[in-house]
C-alpha cells in the first residue's frame, strides 16, 4: 500500500486521542442519539475541552491555531467509526471560518472562543425550500431599517439546525442584484422572530439534526452583517473548496472502514462449506474496492497538501467531492451486497454507513453542480 505522507507524527498522536475520545464519548451513545435525532450538548462541550473544535482557526482569533490537517483527522476518525451525527466539521471547517475570515474584531471576539470551547454550536443556512443548487435565487431578504437589518424568509435542510446557537444566514440585501445582492448575517438563536422548525426525518444520518429555520421580521443590529454587504456570494465561492475537500476526506475514510468491516465479515461468514471471502467474486470485488480506494486516497491526500499550501483550486476541490462521494456510494453498495441480508440490518455498521453515504452526493453542492464547475474550467 502506498504510505500516507501528508500527516506528521504530531497529527498521528492527535489521531490517537481523537479516536479514543470518539470511542468513549460518542460510539456508546450514537444509537441513542439516532433515536433522539441529535447528539448531546455534552459531546460538544467535551469535544471543545479536548481540542477537537476549530483546530485551524488562528489562536489570535480564538481558535486552536493548528492546521487544517487536524480537522482532517477529526473528520476521518468520525467517518471511520460511522459517527454521522457528529456535526463538528460543519462547525469547525465550514461555518466558523466565515466568522474568522470575514468577521469584524468584535464578532470574532464575541463568538469564536465559545465556538472553540463547544459552548456555541454553529450552522450555515443557504438552502431554502425553493432553491438549493441555484444559490443566487435565494428569496430570504435583509432590509436595512435604521441601525438594524430586518430578515424575512425560510431555510431548510440546515445541518446542526436544532442545536445551533448561531446561524450564518444567506440573505438578499439587494433582491434585484443577483449574486451581487447577496450578504451574510450572524443570527443568534433566541432572536425574536427566529424559530426552528421540525428536525427533519432523513433516510440516514439519523443522529444529525437537520432542520428548517424560519425568519419573520427578525431584527439584528447592522453590526451582525458578516463582511461587506453584497459580498456574500463571493465569500461562499471562496470558502466552498474547503467544505468540498472535507466531504471528500470523510467519504474515503468511511469507505475504507466499510472495506475493513467487509473483509472481517466475509472471512467469518460461511457458505457452501467455505468462507464468503474465498469465493473468487468476493475477492475480486474487494480487490477492486481496495484499488479504487487507494487511488482515491492518493488523490485526496494530494488535495490536502495543495490546500495546506493554499493552492487547491475550485475545480479540483469539486473533482474530489464528486468523485470520492460517488466512489463512497459505490463501495458501500458493494459492501452491503457482500454482507448479504445482514448488510441491510440497521445494527450492522455497513447498513448505517450505506444509508448515511447517499446524501454525500447531494449536499455541499450536488455532484451534478460539481461537474458543471469542472466543465467550466476545461
Ligand atoms: C442532510 C442534508 C444536510 C444539508 N445541510 C445543509 C446545510 O447545512 N446548509 C445548507 O444551506 N444546505 C444544506 N443542505 C442542502 C443541500 O446543500 C441541497 O439539498 C443541495 O445543494 C441541492 O439543492 P436542492 O435540494 O434544492 O436540489 P435542486 O437544486 O432542486 O436540485 C435537484 C436536482 O437537479 C439537479 N440540478 C440542479 N441544477 C442543475 C444544473 N445547473 N445542472 C445539472 N443539474 C442540476 C441537482 O443536481 C439535483 O439532482 C443539506 C441537505 C441535506 C439533505
Amino acid at each position: 500500500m502506498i504510505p500516507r505522507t501528508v500527516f506528521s507524527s504530531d497529527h498521528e498522536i492527535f489521531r490517537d486521542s481523537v479516536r479514543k475520545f470518539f470511542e468513549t464519548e460518542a460510539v456508546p451513545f450514537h444509537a441513542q442519539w439516532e433515536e433522539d435525532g441529535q447528539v448531546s450538548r455534552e459531546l460538544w462541550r467535551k469535544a471543545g475541552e479536548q481540542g477537537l473544535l476549530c483546530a485551524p482557526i488562528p489562536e489570535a482569533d480564538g481558535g486552536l491555531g493548528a492546521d487544517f490537517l487536524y480537522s482532517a483527522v477529526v473528520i476521518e476518525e468520525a467517518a471511520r467509526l460511522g459517527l454521522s451525527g457528529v456535526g463538528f466539521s460543519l462547525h469547525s471547517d465550514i461555518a466558523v471560518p466565515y466568522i474568522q475570515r470575514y468577521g469584524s474584531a468584535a464578532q470574532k471576539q464575541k463568538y469564536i472562543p465559545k465556538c472553540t470551547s463547544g459552548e456555541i454550536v454553529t450552522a450555515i443556512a443557504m438552502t431554502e425550500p425553493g432553491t438549493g443548487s441555484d444559490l443566487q435565487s435565494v428569496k430570504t431578504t435583509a432590509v436595512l431599517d435604521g441601525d438594524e437589518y430586518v430578515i424575512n424568509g425560510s431555510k431548510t435542510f440546515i445541518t446542526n439546525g436544532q442545536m445551533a446557537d448561531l446561524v450564518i444566514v444567506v440573505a438578499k440585501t439587494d433582491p434585484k442584484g443577483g449574486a451581487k445582492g447577496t450578504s451574510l448575517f450572524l443570527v443568534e438563536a433566541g432572536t425574536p422572530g427566529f424559530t426552528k422548525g421540525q428536525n427533519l426525518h432523513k433516510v440516514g444520518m439519523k443522529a444529525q439534526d437537520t432542520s428548517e429555520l424560519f425568519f419573520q421580521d427578525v431584527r439584528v443590529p447592522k453590526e451582525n452583517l458578516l463582511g461587506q454587504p453584497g459580498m456574500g456570494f463571493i465569500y461562499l465561492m471562496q470558502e466552498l473548496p474547503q467544505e468540498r475537500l472535507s466531504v471528500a476526506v470523510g467519504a474515503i475514510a468511511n469507505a475504507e472502514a466499510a472495506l475493513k468491516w467487509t473483509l472481517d465479515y466475509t472471512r467469518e461468514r460461511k457458505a457452501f462449506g467455505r468462507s464468503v471471502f474465498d469465493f473468487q467474486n468476493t475477492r475480486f470485488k474487494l480487490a477492486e474496492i481496495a484499488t479504487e480506494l487507494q487511488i482515491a486516497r492518493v488523490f485526496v491526500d494530494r488535495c490536502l497538501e495543495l490546500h495546506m499550501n493554499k493552492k487547491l483550486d475550485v475545480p479540483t476541490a469539486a473533482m474530489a467531492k464528486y468523485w470520492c462521494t460517488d466512489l463512497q456510494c459505490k463501495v458501500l453498495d458493494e459492501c452491503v451486497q457482500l454482507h448479504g441480508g445482514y448488510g441491510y440490518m440497521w445494527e450492522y455498521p455497513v447498513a448505517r454507513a450505506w444509508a448515511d453515504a447517499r446524501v454525500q452526493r447531494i449536499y455541499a453542492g450536488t455532484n451534478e453542480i460539481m461537474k458543471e464547475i469542472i466543465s467550466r474550467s476545461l
Side-chain angles (χ1 to χ4, degrees), residues 283-303:
R283 287 182 291 107
F284 279 18
K285 285 283 177 215
L286 292 171
E288 286 166 17
I289 291 170
T291 306
E292 286 177 287
L293 288 178
Q294 178 75 95
I295 294 165
R297 163 61 57 221
V298 171
F299 175 57
V300 170
D301 279 1
R302 181 75 186 116
C303 289

Side-chain angles (χ1 to χ4, degrees), residues 34 261 265 335-337 339-355:
E34 286 176 357
W261 302 328
Y265 182 82
C335 289
V336 166
Q337 189 69 19
H339 277 73
Y342 293 99
Y344 200 64
M345 296 299 122
W346 195 251
E347 67 260 37
Y348 276 72
V350 77
R352 289 171 143 98
W354 175 74

Side-chain angles (χ1 to χ4, degrees), residues 232-289:
F233 199 75
I234 291 169
Y235 297 156
L236 291 169
M237 294 305 110
Q238 280 166 355
E239 298 307 311
L240 285 172
Q242 178 160 301
E243 172 171 2
R244 289 168 183 158
L245 177 60
S246 304
V247 171
V249 166
I252 298 310
N254 181 252
E256 285 171 344
L259 171 60
K260 188 185 171 304
W261 302 328
T262 309
L263 280 167
D264 292 346
Y265 182 82
T266 55
R267 282 183 176 131
E268 285 284 313
R269 178 79 178 168
K270 297 279 183 292
F272 298 95
R274 49 189 172 151
S275 71
V276 169
F277 181 81
D278 287 333
F279 297 118
Q280 190 191 53
N281 176 66
T282 307
R283 287 182 291 107
F284 279 18
K285 285 283 177 215
L286 292 171
E288 286 166 17
I289 291 170

Side-chain angles (χ1 to χ4, degrees), residues 124-127 131-133 157-159 202 210 359 362-364 366 368-369:
I124 177 155
M126 300 178 262
T127 306
T131 192
S133 302
F157 305 148
I158 306 308
T159 300
K202 303 185 295 299
T210 309
V359 76
I362 297 170
Y363 59 22
T366 66
E368 291 73 34
I369 295 298

Side-chain angles (χ1 to χ4, degrees), residues 63-75:
L64 295 183
D67 58 43
F68 179 73
L69 292 174
Y70 285 87
S71 276
V73 166
V74 177
I75 295 167

Side-chain angles (χ1 to χ4, degrees), residues 98-99 101-104 107 149 183-186 222-232 235:
Y98 284 97
I99 309 175
R101 298 213 181 113
Y102 310 111
S104 64
Q107 287 168 340
Y149 278 99
S183 304
L184 306 185
F185 292 89
L186 292 168
K222 67 178 185 198
E223 292 75 38
N224 283 32
L225 176 74
L226 196 53
Q228 300 298 314
M231 289 292 286
Y235 297 156

